Amino acid sequence: MSRGLSLVVLTDDATRLQGGLVLAVSAAALNRRTRLFFQGQAVALLAANRGWPSLPDGVADIDQLFDQAQELGIDIAACETGLHGTGLTAADLRPGIQTFGTIGFLSAGAGPHGDDDIIAI
C-alpha cells in the first residue's frame, strides 16, 4: 500500500482550496489514503451553506469537490484552535467534518507503512 497523503489547508483562499481538493480527490481515486486538515482562518472554508462562485461547464466547483471527497472516503477535519479563532463551532461546519487538534492530526497520519506525505496549501 502506498503512503497516505495529508493536505494541510492554511489560508482561506478559495483558489488554493479548489486546487487542494482536486489533488485530494485525485489521490483518493488512485486508492491513496487521503486526509484534509484545515488550520487557522482556513477553518472558515468549512462553514455549512457557504456560497461558492460558479465555474465554467465541465469544471467541478468547490461544493462538488467536497461531495466527491466525502464519497471517496477522504477524512476532512477542522483544527479546534481554528474553530475558536473563527468563532465557529462544530455545528456550523459542513456535515461529516471532524474536529481535533494538530497532535491528533499528526498522530493519525502514522500508518503501518510510515507517515503520510504532508503538503501544506
Side-chain angles (χ1 to χ4, degrees):
M1 175 179 250
S2 65
R3 290 168 53 122
L5 176 65
S6 295
L7 300 174
V8 181
V9 183
L10 300 171
T11 70
D12 61 356
D13 181 293
T15 301
R16 285 181 173 267
L17 172 62
Q18 182 176 11
L21 285 168
V22 168
L23 183 60
V25 166
S26 298
L30 294 170
N31 294 318
R32 194 166 178 190
R33 184 176 69 103
T34 308
R35 303 179 308 143
L36 290 163
F37 185 64
F38 290 72
Q39 280 191 306
Q41 293 301 309
V43 170
L45 295 169
L46 296 172
N49 301 318
R50 182 178 171 128
W52 297 106
S54 296
L55 298 173
D57 287 343
V59 178
D61 66 28
I62 290 174
D63 279 324
Q64 291 169 323
L65 289 166
F66 269 122
D67 290 345
Q68 289 175 359
Q70 290 182 314
E71 288 171 12
L72 289 166
I74 294 173
D75 292 326
I76 303 173
C79 180
E80 291 170 344
T81 302
L83 280 172
H84 295 295
T86 58
L88 297 171
T89 67
D92 297 320
L93 304 179
R94 300 174 67 89
I97 304 298
Q98 303 170 29
T99 62
F100 44 78
T102 305
I103 291 174
F105 163 72
L106 291 172
S107 65
H113 301 285
D115 292 333
D116 286 0
D117 293 326
I118 299 177
I119 299 174
I121 57 172

